[in-house]
């Protein structure tokens, strides 16, 4: 800890004196902007350099910077740098919450996110890219790689939207919707805040995965279930106001309209040829979000009380990880129990909780594992079983696989 004192003001203008503590990650948070700026700072310079020296096949690799970052570089960095282990003390929470430096970093993500999207559309549509050392336009594999990269930037952008969408400031809520427009996933703003946070870790929640449910089975359940839930929530809200669902005040429709206008503008400028790649990047983006959803509450369930209601969400109902590198890129999303306990708390003040179940690695590593169900089950099912004291029936189990799961794990532990 440092012992320097400083002052700031809260929203009412009152002066706040910071205690003798500083966030050692304060300037590391800038690395969170690497994803949306990587195409400009790393990708395109490498394409040009490889083409200049005649390494034309190598020049195709930077277009796949997104999956390289998410599936390779961040997991390796998590291994190298390990857990974070640094929680802000109680006496700094108010000061840290009101330090606007942190919120400005999330605001900055958006212009870089959209600059990358526009540049990608230009690169995909351009008939000649001689300035990059490319004869003619991009090959199909390069366009696909670029769309996947942009989709992953949009997926991380959904996490930025998640951070902004929980706040009470109108500007931040609007920025959240803008961040979601690229991936055509604006209904997430409604379903996550008013649906998931109410039903988390229950069989009723489309975003809480179940033991025996692979990611590939979870994907359609959560994508379409979340969409239906968002529509029902908004329809009920409008009914209370005496409005019909097909109303300009329907936030699901307004979110889709924002995406439609964005995509129409990009097609108008760059041609209809970019449309398939816009669709691809959107699917990649929201699929990355749903992969995170898959691992955040896998198998965890809130028990019913004597009244028949579910118990309140607690630290035991979210899988956490405190690996510092993924923490930086996902704005402390891995401190998920604290987020569910205090949804409006800003990312810099989120803390690790004792008693919360922990993943063996950072979210980035676990996302890749989720794509391979046998490996996922080998790593995670025994942890769910241990979490419930060897009684798998206490877990959230896929109804279609319930008999098979119980036959395999029973009440005595994992059997080979």
């Amino acid at each position: 800890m440092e012992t320097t004192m400083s002052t700031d003001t809260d929203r009412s203008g009152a002066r706040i004196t910071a205690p003798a503590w500083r966030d050692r990650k304060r300037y590391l948070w800038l690395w969170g902007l690497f994803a949306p700026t990587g195409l400009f700072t790393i990708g395109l310079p490498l394409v040009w350099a490889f083409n200049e020296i005649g390494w034309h096949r190598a020049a195709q690799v930077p277009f796949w910077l997104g999956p390289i970052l998410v599936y390779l570089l961040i997991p390796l960095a998590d291994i190298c740098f390990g857990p974070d282990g640094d929680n802000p003390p109680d006496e700094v929470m108010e000061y840290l919450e009101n330090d606007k430096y942190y919120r400005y970093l999330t605001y900055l993500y958006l212009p870089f996110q959209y600059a990358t999207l526009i540049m990608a559309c230009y690169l995909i549509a351009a008939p000649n890219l001689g300035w990059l050392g490319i004869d003619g336009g991009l090959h199909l594999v390069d366009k696909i790689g670029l769309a996947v990269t942009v989709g992953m930037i949009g997926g991380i952008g959904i996490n930025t939207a998640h951070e902004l969408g929980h706040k009470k400031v109108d500007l931040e809520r609007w920025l959240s919707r803008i961040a979601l427009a690229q991936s055509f996933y604006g209904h997430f703003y409604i379903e996550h805040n008013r649906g998931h946070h109410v039903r988390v870790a229950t069989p009723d929640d489309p975003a809480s995965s179940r033991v025996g449910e692979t990611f590939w089975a979870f994907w359609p359940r959560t994508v379409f279930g979340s969409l239906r839930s968002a529509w029902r929530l908004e329809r009920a809200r409008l009914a209370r106001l005496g409005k019909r669902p097909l109303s300009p005040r329907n936030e699901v429709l307004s979110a889709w309209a924002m995406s439609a206008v964005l995509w129409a503008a990009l097609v108008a400028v760059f041609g209809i040829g970019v449309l398939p790649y816009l669709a691809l990047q959107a699917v990649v983006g929201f699929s990355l979000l749903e992969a995170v959803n898959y691992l955040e509450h896998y198998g965890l369930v809130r028990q019913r009380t004597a009244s028949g209601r579910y118990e309140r969400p607690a630290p035991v109902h979210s899988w956490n990880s405190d690996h510092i590198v993924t923490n930086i890129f996902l704005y402390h999303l891995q401190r998920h129990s604290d987020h569910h306990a205090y949804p409006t708390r800003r990312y810099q003040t989120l803390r690790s909780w004792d008693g919360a179940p922990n993943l063996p690695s950072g979210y980035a590593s676990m996302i890749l594992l989720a794509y391979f169900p046998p490996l996922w089950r080998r790593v995670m099912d025994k942890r769910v079983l241990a979490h419930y004291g060897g009684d798998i029936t206490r877990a959230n189990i896929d109804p279609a696989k319930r008999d098979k799961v119980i036959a395999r794990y029973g009440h005595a532990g994992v059997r080979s």
Side-chain angles (χ1 to χ4, degrees):
M1 291 188 182
E2 297 182 13
T3 57
T4 53
M5 303 290 287
S6 58
T7 60
D8 202 349
T9 58
D10 63 17
R11 280 180 290 181
S12 67
R15 292 175 67 83
I16 303 172
T17 300
W21 183 88
R22 275 193 181 277
D23 180 8
R24 68 184 181 92
K25 299 190 294 290
R26 183 177 180 86
Y27 298 108
L28 292 178
W29 292 113
L30 289 165
W31 277 103
L33 297 174
F34 176 77
T37 61
L39 181 66
F40 297 100
T41 59
I42 301 293
L44 295 182
L46 281 178
V47 171
W48 176 84
F50 286 146
N51 281 322
E52 280 294 300
I53 60 179
W55 294 3
H56 300 296
R57 289 191 178 276
Q60 294 180 309
V61 174
F63 293 116
W64 294 84
L65 182 63
I68 291 171
L69 175 67
V70 172
Y71 299 136
L72 182 62
L73 297 181
I74 295 179
L76 287 175
D78 270 337
I79 294 171
C80 292
F81 293 98
D84 185 342
D86 189 22
N87 279 340
D90 291 340
E91 59 269 20
V92 308
M93 296 294 279
E94 184 179 6
Y95 176 79
L96 205 55
E97 278 276 331
N98 287 283
D99 188 339
K100 294 182 180 179
Y101 164 79
Y102 295 95
R103 70 186 71 178
Y104 292 156
L105 293 181
T106 58
Y107 298 175
L108 278 173
Y109 191 98
L110 273 66
F112 291 133
Q113 172 187 342
Y114 277 94
T116 298
L117 174 64
I118 292 168
M119 174 57 78
C121 288
Y122 160 73
L123 293 171
I124 288 169
N128 191 297
L129 293 169
W131 61 277
L132 277 176
I134 298 173
D135 294 330
L138 295 182
H139 296 297
L140 177 62
V141 68
D142 300 330
K143 293 180 180 180
I144 292 173
L146 190 54
V148 171
T149 291
V150 170
M152 290 189 162
I153 293 168
I156 299 173
I158 296 177
N159 180 62
T160 307
H162 167 260
E163 168 65 22
L164 294 167
H166 273 293
K167 304 304 173 282
K168 298 178 180 179
V169 180
D170 287 342
L171 170 63
E172 291 178 297
R173 292 185 176 187
W174 271 107
L175 290 176
S176 174
R177 298 176 192 184
I178 292 170
L180 291 166
Q182 173 182 327
S183 301
F184 229 108
Y185 223 57
H187 58 277
F188 169 80
Y189 174 86
I190 294 108
E191 159 56 19
H192 181 82
N193 291 340
R194 288 153 48 192
H196 173 66
H197 271 261
V198 174
R199 299 176 305 221
V200 62
T202 71
D204 303 325
D205 181 28
S208 293
S209 59
R210 305 156 176 173
V211 174
E213 181 178 40
T214 68
F215 168 71
W216 306 107
F218 171 76
W219 187 92
R221 183 172 73 85
T222 189
V223 169
F224 297 109
S226 296
L227 175 57
R228 287 193 296 268
S229 175
W231 183 262
R232 285 195 296 264
L233 288 166
E234 193 60 6
R235 184 176 60 191
R237 184 186 72 87
L238 290 170
R240 291 192 298 269
L241 298 174
K243 303 290 184 181
R244 294 182 178 180
L246 298 179
S247 162
R249 297 184 65 177
N250 187 315
E251 293 185 346
V252 173
L253 295 180
S254 63
W256 291 347
M258 189 179 295
S259 295
V261 169
L262 170 66
W263 284 28
L266 292 171
V267 168
V269 173
F270 298 107
I272 193 67
V274 302
L275 187 57
Y277 300 100
L278 287 173
L280 174 59
Q281 65 83 28
V283 173
V284 169
F286 67 70
S287 296
L288 188 62
L289 162 76
E290 299 301 356
V292 172
N293 277 337
Y294 178 76
L295 58 92
E296 284 177 334
H297 305 283
Y298 178 75
L300 303 179
V301 65
R302 290 151 55 194
Q303 307 300 323
R304 289 192 183 273
T305 64
S307 67
R309 295 183 177 182
Y310 288 108
E311 63 184 326
R312 292 177 62 84
V316 295
H317 299 130
S318 299
W319 290 101
N320 291 254
S321 175
D322 205 25
H323 285 69
I324 189 168
V325 175
T326 307
N327 267 349
I328 293 297
F329 278 88
L330 294 183
Y331 301 116
H332 270 161
L333 182 67
Q334 299 181 128
R335 295 181 170 185
H336 209 60
S337 290
D338 200 27
H339 167 66
H340 273 279
Y342 303 99
T344 61
R345 180 173 281 178
R346 294 188 180 274
Y347 69 92
Q348 67 270 20
T349 57
L350 290 174
R351 295 185 285 190
S352 294
W353 284 50
D354 292 333
N358 277 278
L359 298 170
S361 188
Y363 276 15
S365 305
M366 300 305 294
I367 289 171
L368 187 58
L369 197 67
Y371 297 153
F372 301 95
L375 295 177
W376 175 264
R377 288 195 298 268
R378 181 179 291 273
V379 171
M380 287 303 299
D381 283 10
K382 63 184 179 183
R383 287 175 164 80
V384 176
L385 193 65
H387 181 68
Y388 288 110
D391 184 359
I392 198 65
T393 63
R394 295 174 58 201
N396 188 5
I397 303 175
D398 183 352
K401 302 288 183 62
R402 186 174 184 83
D403 291 343
K404 184 176 180 180
V405 168
I406 293 175
R408 182 177 186 186
Y409 298 124
H411 295 263
V414 179
R415 294 200 295 266
S416 61

